[in-house]
Structures are given as structure tokens and as C-alpha cells.
Amino acid sequence: MTRTVMCRKYKEELEGLDKPPYPGAKGQEIYNTISKKAWTEWTNHQTMLINEKHLSLMDPSTREFLQQEMQKFMDGEDYEKAEGYVPPSK
């Protein structure tokens, strides 16, 4: 049986994650409030930000930046996008 959550990003009941993506309270919060769909979209966007902006995950300020952008993304706020990026046409 599929676990569902009231997704914070999409404001509807959607399939939940299989397990918390991080250890601790932050991972549990994401597990309880973020859908698999929203998490997949975020991880794809995060990868694009890291690649396009040449970010280093060794840098603590980069990790803080990505955490802030994840919060904005999940809360439906205006979040950072890669300059000049044009999504592929369908």
C-alpha cells in the first residue's frame, strides 16, 4: 500500500517518500510533508543549480544556500534558478 502525505508544495494528497531523505528532525519533517513528486523535482533542480553555478558541496555556505532554496521551493516561494537555463522543449 502506498503511503500518502499532504504535500506542502502542491497542497494535495500525493504519494509520500519511502524513507526520510536525511537523518534527524529535518529528514522526518520532509518525510511527513513532502511528496515523492515534489522531492524528485527538487533533487533535479538542486542538481541543476550545483552544475550550472559550479557549486561545491564541500563549502558550508553552499549547503546553507541549497537548504534555503529547498525551503523556498517547497513553500512555493520564488527560488533561485540557473541564469540562462532553458528547459528542453517537449
Side-chain angles (χ1 to χ4, degrees), residues 42-83:
W42 165 249
T43 56
N44 290 337
H45 183 71
Q46 175 181 254
T47 300
M48 182 184 65
L49 286 175
I50 292 166
N51 291 337
E52 296 295 321
K53 293 183 173 290
H54 308 286
L55 301 175
S56 169
L57 293 176
M58 297 297 288
D59 183 352
S61 65
T62 293
R63 293 191 303 270
E64 179 63 28
F65 166 75
L66 290 172
Q67 285 289 328
Q68 291 171 357
E69 293 308 307
M70 179 181 70
Q71 289 295 103
K72 292 176 190 176
F73 182 86
M74 295 303 178
D75 290 337
E77 298 173 10
D78 190 28
Y79 56 90
E80 187 76 23
K81 301 180 179 71
E83 298 87 20

